[in-house]
Amino acid sequence: MKSLKNSVLAVLAALLLAACGSAPSQPDGGMEYARWFSLEGSKVLVRTPGGAVDTLQGPFRALVCMSSSYVGFLHAIGADSTIVGVSGLGFLGERPPLAVEVGYDAALDYEAIVKARPDLFLTYNVGAVEPPYLAKLRELGIRTVVLSEHLESHPLSRAEYVKLFGALTGRAAVADSVFCAVRDRYLASVQPKATQKVLINIPYADQWFIPGADNYMTRLIRDAGGELLGAVPGKQESSIISMETAYQYAQEADVWLHPGWCTSKKQLRSIHPLFGDFPVLDKSVWNNTLQRTPGGGNRYWEEGPVRPDLILEDLVAIFSGTAVKCNYYLPVE
């Protein structure tokens, strides 16, 4: 499971690589939004960008989770007891009672995984080539499946993965109820038009990334009544902008979201001398750091995929200037 820093980098990499595969043109199998999996009765059909389809027949009683979002989905349906292993156990907001640490990607603790006796090893892939550790796990007789939840572009398509986890654990009815409640709450909060211009992120390794117009985060901002400056139409993956372009956007922006690790304006000004001349710095700056965990993780990445309604609620309040206490966001002051 990814730490806060690794979670951000993994999501970023996923955005950059999102165009590597073409998603199915229409959801099917009873899915309202999700495109990379479907259901056929109690069977789960998982699709990959390469075109492969993996059919899973639950219920599974012992799962290893390589992403914090998987833990969030399972927690939402009361299936924490099925989690026998996680990557980055110490970063979680609430540790599953039976879970052990299994290591990270290429540095997995195979002995711990085998000892946990999982029915299924759930992971993700942000590259074009399958991670080599999957072949090793199969050699050890462990069933693996690669999920593409991070490639979904609509907040509700990611939230609908709660149905996948419901089917895997025999909790389909509970999962359906959770999704319906989240969907209805989300749709009720969607704003009819954009009223705020939004700057997002800060440079990472001297590169400033802006999600495309078809990106998950861009959709959240748009549904909350914001216009993400620099979002390229027709693209899901991120684009890189120059500091000069960011400076221009900062003149237009009403709100600045997700300024990296910064929790104060003083920290922001210390990153780059131009930041002190960003007018938006004196307007509204918010970071998704309210739910940081004692171990250095962030519930935003753990719970956010299954509760986009709460993220949307925060953004609507921020954009309208009525935010007092949010679910995941804190003002940067």
Side-chain angles (χ1 to χ4, degrees), residues 22-36:
S22 297
S25 59
Q26 294 293 332
D28 57 12
M31 299 301 98
E32 296 180 48
Y33 296 89
R35 296 177 180 272
W36 291 102

Side-chain angles (χ1 to χ4, degrees), residues 47-234:
R47 298 178 176 83
T48 67
V53 179
D54 198 349
T55 302
L56 305 172
Q57 178 74 60
F60 297 96
R61 304 300 183 190
L63 308 174
V64 169
C65 300
M66 290 296 288
S67 173
S68 58
S69 64
Y70 305 164
V71 176
F73 286 117
L74 290 164
H75 179 72
I77 58 174
D80 306 71
S81 62
T82 64
I83 306 171
V84 297
V86 295
S87 175
L89 182 63
F91 297 107
L92 291 178
E94 293 184 16
R95 299 186 182 188
L98 304 179
V100 298
E101 175 62 52
V102 299
Y104 297 87
D105 300 336
L108 289 180
D109 186 339
Y110 294 103
E111 183 178 351
I113 294 171
V114 171
K115 189 175 181 180
R117 303 179 66 182
D119 299 323
L120 196 61
F121 183 99
L122 300 165
T123 190
Y124 58 94
N125 185 21
V126 296
V129 179
E130 181 180 272
Y133 67 80
L134 290 179
K136 174 67 173 179
L137 289 169
R138 293 176 188 129
E139 289 177 7
L140 294 171
I142 296 171
R143 179 79 183 276
T144 66
V145 63
V146 177
L147 302 181
S148 296
E149 169 237 344
H150 61 283
L151 297 181
E152 301 282 2
S153 60
H154 195 293
L156 290 177
S157 68
R158 293 194 183 186
E160 198 164 20
Y161 275 67
V162 73
K163 295 181 181 179
L164 177 148
F165 287 91
L168 292 181
T169 59
R171 291 171 171 79
V174 175
D176 286 346
S177 296
V178 169
F179 176 73
C180 288
V182 169
R183 177 202 61 201
D184 293 350
R185 185 181 171 103
Y186 185 98
L187 294 175
S189 297
V190 172
Q191 301 301 294
K193 62 180 181 179
T195 61
Q196 300 286 289
K197 294 184 177 181
V198 180
L199 175 68
I200 196 169
N201 297 335
I202 59 173
Y204 173 75
D206 297 324
Q207 294 182 317
W208 196 311
F209 295 96
I210 302 292
D214 293 341
N215 182 271
Y216 164 87
M217 192 66 227
T218 308
R219 182 58 184 259
L220 272 165
I221 290 170
R222 184 164 60 246
D223 284 349
E227 174 191 347
L228 181 57
L229 297 169
V232 178

